[in-house]
Amino acid sequence: MKLTADRIIDAGMAVFAQTGYHGFSVRQVADRLDVHAGSLYYHVPSKAALLQLMADRVVRQAYEAGTAALAGLPAQAGWPARVTAQAVALRQSIRQHPGGAIMLAGSPKTLSPGALSLMERLLATLAEAGVPPEHCGTAADTVLSHVTGYVLQEQSDPPAVPVTAEDVAALHRSFPWTVAAAAAHGPDERFTRSLDLLCAGIGTLIRPPAEGAPSEEPDGRS
C-alpha cells in the first residue's frame, strides 16, 4: 500500500495511544507500517512535525464537532450556551483519542491551524457577547485550558497501588467534604457545571451596552 501522510498519521495515533508522548518515536511508527524510518521523512521531516500533524487532526475533528454543536442550538441561544457547546464538543472529541489532551495542550505552540481555528471561533463568540477586547484572549485561553486539564485528568493512568475498602473508609473520615463533592455528580455534569461557573465569571466582564451612553428622549433627541 502506498505510503501517504494520512497513513503515517493513522499509525502515529495508534503508537501514541500505546506509548504516550515521552515514549513516542518515528521508528516505532515506521515499524508499525513495516517500512524503513527514512522513508517517513519524505512525508514528515521530523518527530515534531508528525506530532503537529497528529494534533492538527485531533483539533480539526474537534472544530467540526463544535460546528455541528453550534448548528444544533436554538437561534435564541445566548453566548454561554455557545461557549458551552464548543467546550463540550472539544472535550468529547479529544477524549476519543488516547493522549488527545496532551496533543491539544501542545498544539497552539506549534501554530497548529486546527488549534488556532478553535481559538479564533471562541474569541469571536466572546467578542460578540461583549467581552472587552483586553479580556477576550484570557477568557478564551481559560476555557480551552480548562477543557484540556479536565481531559488530562480523565485520561491519566489509574493509581499504581490498588485502593482498598479500608482506604476509602479512611478518606471518608479524613476528608468528608472532598469525598462528598467528588461523589455529588457524574463527570459530564461536573464538567457542564464547571463551564457554568466559568461563564458566570466571564459574564462579570461584560458591560451593559447602554453603560455610559447618553439617554435619548422619546422623540429621539439626546
Side-chain angles (χ1 to χ4, degrees):
M1 187 180 296
K2 182 180 179 180
L3 192 62
T4 64
D6 279 338
R7 283 192 64 211
I8 295 172
I9 294 170
D10 289 340
M13 299 289 287
V15 170
F16 194 95
Q18 295 175 339
T19 67
Y21 180 83
H22 295 292
F24 182 83
S25 72
V26 173
R27 181 172 296 279
Q28 289 170 306
V29 177
D31 290 344
R32 186 175 185 86
L33 292 167
D34 196 23
V35 299
H36 292 293
S39 60
L40 268 63
Y41 291 113
Y42 177 80
H43 299 277
V44 288
S46 65
K47 171 183 172 179
L50 177 53
L51 287 169
Q52 179 178 351
L53 290 172
M54 291 160 53
D56 201 53
R57 174 184 284 187
V58 172
V59 291
R60 283 186 184 278
Q61 291 173 353
Y63 185 88
E64 292 170 2
T67 298
L70 288 170
L73 292 176
Q76 67 274 20
W79 70 266
R82 295 177 63 81
V83 168
T84 297
Q86 293 173 64
V88 168
L90 176 58
R91 172 178 173 248
Q92 292 173 343
S93 294
I94 60 179
R95 284 179 67 199
Q96 295 174 16
H97 304 278
I102 295 175
M103 293 185 199
L104 180 66
S107 56
K109 301 172 186 175
T110 59
L111 299 182
S112 158
L116 295 176
S117 295
L118 287 174
M119 174 63 87
E120 185 74 8
R121 181 166 62 190
L122 186 54
L123 283 169
T125 301
L126 295 170
E128 291 166 5
V131 177
E134 65 270 22
H135 295 303
C136 273
T138 302
D141 187 62
T142 299
V143 172
L144 294 180
S145 296
H146 175 66
V147 178
T148 304
Y150 200 93
V151 181
L152 277 172
Q153 292 185 59
E154 292 183 305
Q155 293 185 330
S156 62
D157 294 330
V161 179
V163 178
T164 66
E166 290 77 10
D167 294 331
V168 174
L171 289 172
H172 275 276
R173 292 192 299 272
S174 301
F175 310 104
W177 287 97
T178 302
V179 172
H185 308 288
D188 292 343
E189 185 176 352
R190 280 201 300 271
F191 182 68
T192 54
R193 283 171 172 259
S194 69
L195 294 173
D196 290 342
L197 289 175
L198 283 177
C199 288
I202 294 170
T204 64
L205 302 171
I206 299 174
R207 295 186 292 268
E211 184 176 317
S215 59
E216 292 188 351
E217 298 293 334
D219 62 358
R221 291 177 299 175
S222 307

